[in-house]
């Protein structure tokens, strides 16, 4: 057995601690001095891959016949990664934060699924689900306005306030996705109080060939969904500094099936495309990126009831009141979403100072929600909102051997408009205009085996709302918010294979407009929602009644990155004052049906938890993976539980990989996820019993479902096609066709989750970046 060791540096000769080093897909990160090593390596050909955000990946074939020492220099990424640059800086900062990543390999096994569903595979990340097609990411129990999504470097500005509003992002654009679980509000503002999801596409300027691309396609038996995604990229000429990329995705699925029945009206249709062009010079770069996301999603028909008895019966019987044969048709209730994005980003190196980055992002989100309406009006949307947003980020980075950091300012302007003339209905959330700006400073210092980080941020927000009273009188409340954030963190490199991170962050955010002024049916969740400033039908406009949510989060993690064993153990506590949450308070008959009423409230909450992820290469061909997540949520004000807190989950997996003749990397894997019952769920008060309930405790309208265990199996192989690669795989999920309900699914009141599913996936890569 032989040894491969080395050091990773940047172009100025500085060691790069924390760089990812993979030998044949396995490995860890460099230590505080940038060193790595692999022992007990067989002689022969091996693939060495080194990655570090902010730098171009390094990949090389190594012929090993004796012990070998290598020195690797990573070149700085100077393009689109400016947006990622922002991520790049994050990554700099993530050295002292806890994060988890879905690599290209991981994402290949999630093709066909939504972004939120793919992220569920990470420990500590859950999804708030609305039926089988809508998944919203949850990090350590927090979601929606508390989670920032950086899509290709720009903050996603959709209608993320809604529980059933999934991110308007095509997962096929990503080559890797990083989830930062620590408090990141210092760098990104109040949007990141719960964490950050960084979606990184492959670099435009990292090609070994002047033209390449990738095709992904597949078929899913449950819902009979077919999907196709293609990408081509290249350079304008062999010597040109300009590169380009085009990408498109289409998928169509019909009704999903539970083990016992069809989940009627849960189909999905989606067409997305994107394009980018970039220039890369010696000391400057420019990138222009645009994308369009377009989807139609059906909402479970049984989630809408005509009267109290139907609603009560639907919850108590355990089967939907409406079941129809499978269909590709998507009828009301349904959503139609269009999201367009434009990003322009420039970078200029300033000698002796660092790098200046300027990013502009413009986004236009259109959301139509269609209800079952009488009088032939079902073709008219019941909700039609247009959200325009403009974002400007200016960032100055500096990086020296012993310290680095950045200072930045950003500003954004949003305008939300309801097309009430087309809907004929009072909007769920009112029109509003929001201007916000912030300035931050983050600095890191390296001392031997220690890395220290500190940051501070100031934000200002001006909100103007245009809301109607119960008597249709227009009110225009205006709010001004000032708030500070701060963070301290450190990393101690125990050895080349182990490091300890600890991070403390304090941040705050004002409630979103939806949390303040919601009123009406949110048909995607089959519930009426009412805001904090709408109490007993009265519209409150007094700014002093608004309480900011304040979070103090401490997280510590131990990370191991040995040749055969890598692991991440994290513990955290998050104390949140004025925590905003939705709770059921009533049920109500409307001309659109009978629905439970959910009211926004505030309390003091404490979230404590632990995440564990483990990878053990038992042999060169056999690998074990394990994940565990625990979260204890407490309503400290009421001395009670919190509603919709993810239950304990764990997962075991085994995979075996080998070559079969001329075919490479044949693999077979099995995973067994288990979700326990949420024993700390609120008490149950069924809709028919709500009028008689006089207690003060928060309740739910249905008991927490029982725990469950699923069995998933996947096998696949790579087929060489000349110098390219064709990958085939078939996966079986919930092979036992287990009947279960997920506590985090808002439609668990009405129907079971999805049953047995087989997924066929095909990937053909011809010189792409991935």
């Amino acid at each position: 057995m032989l040894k491969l060791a080395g050091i990773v540096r940047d172009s100025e000769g500085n060691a790069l601690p924390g760089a990812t080093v993979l030998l044949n897909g396995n490995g860890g990160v460099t230590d505080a001095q940038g060193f790595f090593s692999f022992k007990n390596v067989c002689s022969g050909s091996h693939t060495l891959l080194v990655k570090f955000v902010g730098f171009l990946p390094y990949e090389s074939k190594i012929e090993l016949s004796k012990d070998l020492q290598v020195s690797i220099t990573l070149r700085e990424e100077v393009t689109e990664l400016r947006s990622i640059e922002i991520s790049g800086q994050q990554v700099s900062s993530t050295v002292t934060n806890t994060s988890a990543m879905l690599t290209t390999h991981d994402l290949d096994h999630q093709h066909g699924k939504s972004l939120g569903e793919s992220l569920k595979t990470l420990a500590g990340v859950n999804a708030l689900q609305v039926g089988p097609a809508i998944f919203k990411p949850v990090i350590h129990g927090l979601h929606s306005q508390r989670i920032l999504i950086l899509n290709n470097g720009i903050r996603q500005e959709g209608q993320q306030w809604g529980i059933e509003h999934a991110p308007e992002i095509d997962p096929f654009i990503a080559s890797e996705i990083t989830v930062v679980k620590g408090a990141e509000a210092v760098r990104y503002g109040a949007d990141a109080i719960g964490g950050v999801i960084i979606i990184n596409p492959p670099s435009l300027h990292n090609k070994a060939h002047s033209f390449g691309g990738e095709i992904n396609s597949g078929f899913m038996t449950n819902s009979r969904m077919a999907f196709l995604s293609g990408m081509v990229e290249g350079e304008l000429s062999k010597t040109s500094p300009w590169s380009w990329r085009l990408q498109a995705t289409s998928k169509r699925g019909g009704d999903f099936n539970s083990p016992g029945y069809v989940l009627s009206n849960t189909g999905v249709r989606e067409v997305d495309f994107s394009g980018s062009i970039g220039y890369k010079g010696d000391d400057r770069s420019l990138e222009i990126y645009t994308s369009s996301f377009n989807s139609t999603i059906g909402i479970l028909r049984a989630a809408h009831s005509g009267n109290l008895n139907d609603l009560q019966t639907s919850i108590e019987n355990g089967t939907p009141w409406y079941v129809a044969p499978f269909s590709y048709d998507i009828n009301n209730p349904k959503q139609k979403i269009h999201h367009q994005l434009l990003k322009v980003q420039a970078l200029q190196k300033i000698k002796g100072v660092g790098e200046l980055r300027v990013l502009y992002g413009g986004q236009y989100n259109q959301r139509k929600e269609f209800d079952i309406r009488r009088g032939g009006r079902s073709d008219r949307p019941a909700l039609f909102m247009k959200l325009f947003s403009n974002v400007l980020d200016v960032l100055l980075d500096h990086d020296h051997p012993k310290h680095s950091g950045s200072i930045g300012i950003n500003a954004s302007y949003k305008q939300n408009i309801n097309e009430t003339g087309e809907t004929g209905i009072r909007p769920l959330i009112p029109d509003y205009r929001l201007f916000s700006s912030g300035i931050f400073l983050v600095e890191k210092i390296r001392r031997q085996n220690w890395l220290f980080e500190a940051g501070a941020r100031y934000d200002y927000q001006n909100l103007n709302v245009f809301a109607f009273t119960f008597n249709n009188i227009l009110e225009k409340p205006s709010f001004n918010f000032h708030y500070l954030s701060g963070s301290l963190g450190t990393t101690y490199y125990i050895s080349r294979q182990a490091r300890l991170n600890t991070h403390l962050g304090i941040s705050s955010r004002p409630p979103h407009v939806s949390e303040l002024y919601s009123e009406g049916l949110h048909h995607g969740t089959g519930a009426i929602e009412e805001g904090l400033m709408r109490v007993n039908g009265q519209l409150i406009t007094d700014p002093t009644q608004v309480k900011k949510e304040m979070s103090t989060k401490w997280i510590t993690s131990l990370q191991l990155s040995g040749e055969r064993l890598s692991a991440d153990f994290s513990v955290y506590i998050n104390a949140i004052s004025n925590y905003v949450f939705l709770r059921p308070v009533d049920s109500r008959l409307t001309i659109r049906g009978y629905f439970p009423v959910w009211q926004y409230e505030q309390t003091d909450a404490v979230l404590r938890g632990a995440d564990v992820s483990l990878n053990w290469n038992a042999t060169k061909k056999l690998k074990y993976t394990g994940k565990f997540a625990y979260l204890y949520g407490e309503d400290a004000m009421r001395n009670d539980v919190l509603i919709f807190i993810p239950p304990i989950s764990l997962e075991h997996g085994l995979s075996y990989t080998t070559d079969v003749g001329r075919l490479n990397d044949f693999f077979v894997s099995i995973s067994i996820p288990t979700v326990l019952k949420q024993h700390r769920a609120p008490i149950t008060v069924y809709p028919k019993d709500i009028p008689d309930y006089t207690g003060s405790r928060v309740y739910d309208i249905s008991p927490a479902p029982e725990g469950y265990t699923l069995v998933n199996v996947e096998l696949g192989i790579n087929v060489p096609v000349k110098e390219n690669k064709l990958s085939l795989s078939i996966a079986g999920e919930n092979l036992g066709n287990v009947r279960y309900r997920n506590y985090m699914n808002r439609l668990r009141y009405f129907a079971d989750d999805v049953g047995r599913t087989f997924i066929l996936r095909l990937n053909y890569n011809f010189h792409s970046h991935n």
Side-chain angles (χ1 to χ4, degrees):
M1 290 297 184
L2 305 174
K3 177 181 178 180
L4 172 64
I7 185 171
V8 180
R9 296 188 176 95
D10 63 16
S11 57
E12 296 181 351
N14 303 312
L16 291 177
T20 301
V21 184
L22 303 174
L23 187 65
N24 302 323
N26 298 312
V29 297
T30 54
D31 64 13
Q33 287 75 41
F35 288 106
F36 68 90
S37 69
F38 296 93
K39 299 177 182 177
N40 302 318
V41 182
C42 297
S43 61
S45 178
H46 301 274
T47 300
L48 181 65
L49 174 64
V50 182
K51 297 195 296 182
F52 194 77
V53 176
F55 292 82
L56 296 173
Y58 169 91
E59 183 171 355
S60 176
K61 286 285 186 184
I62 292 181
E63 293 295 333
L64 206 61
S65 58
K66 59 181 181 180
D67 289 352
L68 184 63
Q69 192 100 17
V70 297
S71 178
I72 297 169
T73 299
L74 296 185
R75 292 186 296 125
E76 294 181 6
E77 174 63 87
V78 197
T79 53
E80 160 46 15
L81 289 195
R82 282 326 83 209
S83 44
I84 294 172
E85 181 56 73
I86 293 179
S87 355
Q89 291 204 359
Q90 299 168 7
V91 173
S92 296
S93 66
T94 59
V95 173
T96 53
N97 276 290
T98 298
S99 62
M101 178 184 290
L102 287 177
T103 64
T104 300
H105 177 267
D106 299 325
L107 291 171
D108 287 345
H109 296 270
Q110 300 297 321
H111 283 164
K113 298 182 179 180
S114 68
L115 173 67
E117 189 175 11
S118 300
L119 291 171
K120 285 175 61 180
T121 58
L122 297 173
V125 182
N126 301 89
L128 194 56
Q129 187 177 341
V130 180
I134 302 175
F135 293 82
K136 200 173 184 68
V138 179
I139 301 175
H140 289 170
L142 300 179
H143 56 83
S144 302
Q145 300 91 319
R146 305 181 182 98
I147 302 296
L148 173 64
I149 298 178
L150 280 179
N151 177 12
N152 194 6
I154 185 170
R155 56 182 65 215
Q156 184 76 7
E157 296 286 6
Q159 301 280 359
Q160 57 260 55
W161 52 269
I163 283 177
E164 94 286 21
H165 300 176
E168 303 92 346
I169 296 173
D170 176 12
F172 279 103
I173 68 168
S175 62
E176 64 181 31
I177 301 175
T178 301
V179 176
V180 182
K181 304 176 187 175
E184 285 294 295
V186 165
R187 184 172 297 271
Y188 301 110
D191 295 348
I193 195 171
V196 185
I197 297 170
I198 304 168
I199 299 170
N200 290 334
S203 169
L204 267 178
H205 302 286
N206 183 32
K207 298 185 289 294
H209 300 81
S210 59
F211 179 79
E214 186 178 34
I215 296 173
N216 285 285
S217 65
F219 180 76
M220 190 180 300
T221 57
N222 200 324
S223 82
R224 306 178 195 178
M225 178 188 292
F227 58 88
L228 174 65
S229 181
M231 180 270 290
V232 291
E233 59 188 358
E235 297 173 342
L236 296 185
S237 68
K238 288 185 178 180
T239 59
S240 172
W242 290 90
S243 297
W244 58 271
R245 176 181 299 135
L246 296 173
Q247 184 267 345
T249 298
S250 176
K251 67 179 180 182
R252 184 189 184 196
D255 295 333
F256 285 83
N257 286 274
S258 74
Y261 43 80
V262 175
L263 300 170
S264 296
N265 200 48
T266 55
V268 59
R269 289 194 292 267
E270 187 175 311
V271 177
D272 315 314
F273 57 88
S274 65
S276 56
I277 184 168
Y279 166 85
K280 180 184 178 184
D282 292 335
D283 57 0
R284 67 192 64 177
S285 66
L286 173 70
E287 181 180 358
I288 301 173
Y289 170 81
T290 184
S291 67
S292 178
F293 176 93
N294 309 277
S295 73
T296 301
I297 304 174
I299 303 298
L300 180 73
R301 177 63 183 87
H304 287 216
S305 305
N307 55 61
L308 175 59
N309 287 333
D310 286 349
L311 177 61
Q312 182 71 25
T313 301
S314 184
I315 293 175
E316 287 186 329
N317 285 355
T319 56
W321 67 268
Y322 180 88
V323 176
F326 171 86
S327 174
Y328 278 106
D329 295 338
I330 300 177
N331 301 309
N332 295 358
K334 65 183 177 186
Q335 306 175 350
K336 283 189 175 180
I337 304 108
H338 303 280
H339 189 89
Q340 284 78 43
L341 182 150
L342 170 66
K343 186 188 84 171
V344 180
Q345 184 172 269
L347 177 145
Q348 175 68 56
K349 288 186 177 180
I350 303 174
K351 190 173 182 180
V353 178
E355 294 180 345
L356 176 66
R357 303 162 187 176
V358 180
L359 180 149
Y360 164 78
Q363 296 175 72
Y364 178 35
N365 184 284
Q366 307 146 77
R367 167 172 286 270
K368 294 182 180 179
E369 299 188 356
F370 294 82
D371 202 353
I372 301 168
R373 305 179 71 174
R374 296 181 176 86
R377 297 180 300 160
S378 291
D379 290 336
R380 297 178 63 182
L383 183 71
F384 185 5
M385 295 182 295
K386 297 177 178 178
L387 177 65
F388 303 86
S389 64
N390 294 274
V391 178
L392 180 67
D393 290 340
V394 180
L395 200 63
L396 179 62
D397 296 329
H398 67 270
D399 193 359
H400 300 282
K402 293 187 177 180
H403 67 92
S404 60
S406 57
I407 182 171
I409 58 173
N410 54 50
S412 67
Y413 176 76
K414 302 179 195 175
Q415 182 174 12
N416 187 72
I417 298 173
N418 284 280
E419 294 292 347
T420 53
E422 187 167 342
T423 64
I425 296 176
R426 281 172 66 117
L428 174 61
I429 66 170
D431 293 354
Y432 67 89
R433 296 171 187 164
L434 175 66
F435 170 77
S436 61
S437 61
I439 181 169
F440 74 89
L441 173 66
V442 176
E443 191 69 20
K444 297 182 290 292
I445 300 175
R446 300 164 188 161
R447 291 289 185 273
Q448 296 182 340
N449 291 341
W450 290 90
L451 182 65
F452 303 95
E453 176 187 335
R457 181 184 180 97
Y458 163 76
D459 281 281
Y460 166 74
Q461 186 180 105
N462 173 255
L463 172 65
N464 292 284
V465 182
F466 304 85
F468 288 91
T469 67
F470 182 78
N471 297 319
N472 288 325
I473 298 173
L474 178 62
E475 297 282 356
K476 300 178 181 179
S478 181
F479 307 91
N480 292 287
F481 302 105
H482 303 265
Y483 41 103
L484 299 171
S485 304
S487 68
L488 288 172
T490 186
T491 298
Y492 176 65
Y493 292 86
I494 302 169
S495 68
R496 292 185 178 183
Q497 288 81 34
R499 62 177 180 174
L500 183 68
N501 303 325
T502 188
H503 192 275
L504 174 68
I506 300 174
S507 53
S508 61
R509 73 170 188 100
H512 187 267
V513 175
S514 63
E515 296 166 326
L516 295 173
Y517 287 110
S518 285
E519 63 156 350
L521 175 63
H522 205 173
H523 82 96
T525 56
I528 295 169
E529 296 178 2
E530 296 180 344
L532 294 164
M533 305 289 273
R534 289 191 181 273
V535 179
N536 299 322
Q538 300 299 312
L539 181 73
I540 301 173
T541 59
D542 181 1
T544 63
Q545 298 298 309
V546 179
K547 301 175 183 176
K548 286 180 290 188
E549 195 174 75
M550 299 190 66
S551 163
T552 302
K553 183 173 183 178
W554 170 75
I555 182 168
T556 293
S557 62
L558 173 63
Q559 296 172 329
L560 307 177
S561 55
E563 297 164 12
R564 298 182 58 183
L565 176 67
S566 61
D568 190 313
F569 305 88
S570 299
V571 294
Y572 60 91
I573 180 170
N574 193 355
I576 307 174
S577 60
N578 302 317
Y579 170 79
V580 182
F581 68 104
L582 266 173
R583 59 168 293 189
V585 295
D586 199 356
S587 58
R588 188 176 301 163
L589 177 65
T590 73
I591 60 173
R592 299 157 75 182
Y594 200 94
F595 301 96
V597 179
W598 292 65
Q599 174 81 48
Y600 282 100
E601 288 193 7
Q602 289 183 286
T603 188
D604 293 338
V606 179
L607 303 171
R608 304 179 183 89
D611 305 330
V612 177
S613 61
L614 191 65
N615 294 283
W616 177 46
N617 295 303
T619 69
K620 290 178 60 179
K621 297 181 177 180
L622 185 64
K623 181 179 181 181
Y624 166 82
T625 58
K627 287 177 285 187
F628 170 80
Y630 167 75
L631 175 57
Y632 183 97
E634 179 183 9
D635 185 333
M637 184 178 292
R638 296 182 176 87
N639 191 25
D640 201 352
V641 300
L642 291 173
I643 192 170
F644 277 104
I645 296 298
I648 296 173
S649 63
L650 62 157
E651 181 173 340
H652 300 282
L654 277 177
S655 62
Y656 180 81
T657 304
T658 188
D659 293 338
V660 180
R662 297 180 57 188
L663 306 180
N664 300 324
D665 298 331
F666 168 79
F667 74 90
V668 57
S669 63
I670 180 172
S671 63
I672 304 176
T674 296
V675 177
L676 304 186
K677 181 178 180 178
Q678 179 52 282
H679 291 285
R680 288 184 52 76
I683 61 173
T684 300
V685 178
Y686 288 103
K688 67 180 178 58
D689 300 322
I690 291 177
D692 299 324
Y693 179 72
T694 57
S696 60
R697 295 185 63 185
V698 174
Y699 58 81
D700 202 346
I701 59 174
S702 175
E706 297 296 323
Y708 58 89
T709 296
L710 308 179
V711 176
N712 306 322
V713 173
E714 184 176 12
L715 58 89
I717 200 164
N718 294 330
V719 180
V721 180
K722 295 185 177 179
E723 57 180 344
N724 302 318
K725 182 180 71 174
L726 175 66
S727 301
L728 297 165
S729 70
I730 183 168
E733 299 185 350
N734 190 8
L735 285 180
N737 208 25
V738 173
R739 181 179 177 181
Y740 72 99
R741 297 192 182 196
N742 188 329
Y743 177 72
M744 297 297 289
N745 188 345
R746 277 292 297 265
L747 298 189
R748 64 178 163 82
Y749 304 119
F750 313 108
D752 293 333
D753 268 84
V754 172
R756 182 186 298 118
T757 303
F758 291 100
I759 308 171
L760 175 67
R761 296 186 176 96
L762 181 149
N763 168 274
Y764 180 61
N765 187 307
F766 49 105
H767 306 316
S768 83
H769 296 167
N770 288 325

